[in-house]
């Protein structure tokens, strides 16, 4: 079962479905809301944030 799930997940991401998703349609709302929530936990001081496993990296920018 695990191998089948892994294959499906890899096929989904390899197909590029996530590329640009947060830049169109309802994804724009998701991105802005996520940034709003994340900003609640960040102060004005300098921080280093590691985006590990962040896919195409929209949040890392």
């Amino acid at each position: 079962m695990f191998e089948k799930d892994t294959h499906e997940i890899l096929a989904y991401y390899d197909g590029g479905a996530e590329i640009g998703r947060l830049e169109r349609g309802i994804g724009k709302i998701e991105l802005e809301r996520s940034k709003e929530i994340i900003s609640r936990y960040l102060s004005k001081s300098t921080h280093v944030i590691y985006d590990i496993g962040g896919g195409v990296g929209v949040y890392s920018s």
Side-chain angles (χ1 to χ4, degrees):
M1 184 66 173
F2 178 74
E3 288 182 27
K4 180 184 177 203
D5 293 340
T6 301
H7 176 72
E8 290 177 9
I9 292 168
L10 291 174
Y12 173 81
Y13 285 101
D14 285 345
E18 288 292 307
I19 297 172
R21 181 181 68 80
L22 296 174
E23 299 168 353
R24 63 180 182 272
I26 198 158
K28 290 180 178 183
I29 297 170
E30 177 188 338
L31 176 61
E32 291 306 314
R33 180 67 175 140
S34 295
K35 290 190 316 188
E36 180 183 311
I37 292 168
I38 292 167
S39 69
R40 293 179 190 172
Y41 299 94
L42 301 176
S43 66
K44 301 281 183 193
S45 63
T46 303
H47 292 281
V48 175
I49 300 172
Y50 297 94
D51 183 15
I52 300 170
V56 294
V58 175
Y59 289 109
S60 63
S61 63

